[in-house]
């Protein structure tokens, strides 16, 4: 070390810098819809109660929101999978299933969301607190209450819930930076 100092070598010190992530890949899926129910009214002294099977609930949606307090996509680098809840199934006694909970993905302003497989640009989050629907949840299935008519008084049909959308997304952060140079006149700042 003393020999290096005597010869004029200088040591380079490293300054810790913040890792800036400007690209991330995520997998999202909206919730599936709940299935409908086949059920009939059962009461004492009621021989023909009729159908009372409810519809299933819709699956949860996936939303993206532009958050002005964020400046990197580092959260999406480590949490790549985002799934919304599915809808509840329909039940007897005219009870419809509850809708699945939506999830909200908070992204920095200036994020470009595109399809990872096709490369198609889906949307850009340019306005603070802008909210866009990324994946739509599946609709709930119909119960036998839905198929009741004057000619079909005891329907035994029901439908399953529809699946929610699933996508692979590429997130890119477009950042604007202002750079200024300070120095003495004629110091070569123009070059």
């Amino acid at each position: 070390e003393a020999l290096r100092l005597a010869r004029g070598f200088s040591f380079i010190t490293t300054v810790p810098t913040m890792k800036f992530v400007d690209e991330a890949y995520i997998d999202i899926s909206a919730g599936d819809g709940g299935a409908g129910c086949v059920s009939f009214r059962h009461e004492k002294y009621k021989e023909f109660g009729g159908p009372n099977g409810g519809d299933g609930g819709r699956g949860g949606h996936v939303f993206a929101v532009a958050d002005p307090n964020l400046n990197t996509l580092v959260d999406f680098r480590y949490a790549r999978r985002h799934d919304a809840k599915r809808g509840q199934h329909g039940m007897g006694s005219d009870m419809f299933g509850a809708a699945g909970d939506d999830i909200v993905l908070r992204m920095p302003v200036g994020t470009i969301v595109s399809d990872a497989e096709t490369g198609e640009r889906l949307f850009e989050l340019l306005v603070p607190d802008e909210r866009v629907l990324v994946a739509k949840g599946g609709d709930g299935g119909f119960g036998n209450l839905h198929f009741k008519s004057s000619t079909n008084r005891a329907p035994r049909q029901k439908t399953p819930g529809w699946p929610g959308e699933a996508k692979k997304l590429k997130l890119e952060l477009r950042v604007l930076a202002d750079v200024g140079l300070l120095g003495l006149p004629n110091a070569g700042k123009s070059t």
Side-chain angles (χ1 to χ4, degrees):
E1 230 179 78
L3 184 61
R4 285 184 183 173
L5 287 174
R7 289 186 180 172
F9 287 106
S10 61
F11 293 101
I12 299 172
T13 59
T14 59
V15 178
T17 58
M18 182 179 149
K19 185 175 179 184
F20 189 78
V21 177
D22 61 350
E23 187 176 270
Y25 291 89
I26 61 172
D27 298 327
I28 62 166
S29 65
D32 298 336
C37 174
V38 173
S39 175
F40 294 94
R41 229 169 101 193
H42 298 289
E43 290 181 27
K44 194 172 181 182
Y45 306 119
K46 287 276 188 181
E47 190 174 352
F48 303 106
N52 67 353
D55 297 346
R58 73 154 177 86
H61 301 313
V62 179
F63 291 100
V65 174
D67 191 347
N69 298 323
L70 296 176
N71 56 9
T72 66
L73 294 170
V74 71
D75 296 336
F76 297 105
R77 183 63 63 92
Y78 300 111
R80 295 192 56 188
R81 184 100 192 127
H82 302 279
D83 298 326
K85 299 282 186 186
R86 66 183 312 276
Q88 276 188 348
H89 299 308
M91 293 166 277
S93 302
D94 301 333
M95 289 192 289
F96 287 26
D101 294 333
D102 300 334
I103 59 172
V104 176
L105 304 176
R106 301 200 161 277
M107 301 177 186
V109 178
T111 302
I112 300 169
V113 180
S114 56
D115 194 328
E117 294 171 343
T118 64
E120 175 191 359
R121 183 178 289 184
L122 301 176
F123 43 79
E124 297 182 33
L125 299 173
L126 300 177
V127 180
D129 298 322
E130 180 182 4
R131 183 182 175 108
V132 292
L133 178 66
V134 182
K136 183 182 181 300
D139 293 328
F142 297 135
N144 68 339
L145 178 65
H146 199 85
F147 296 102
K148 170 174 79 169
S149 68
S150 60
T151 56
N152 189 8
R153 295 185 179 182
R156 296 190 181 274
Q157 298 103 338
K158 68 172 184 172
T159 58
W162 281 265
E165 294 178 346
K167 297 179 181 176
K168 293 179 185 293
L169 299 178
K170 177 185 178 185
L171 308 177
E172 292 178 279
L173 182 59
R174 182 163 49 187
V175 178
L176 300 176
D178 297 327
V179 177
L181 293 175
L182 299 174
L184 295 171
N186 305 324
K189 292 188 297 294
S190 60
T191 59

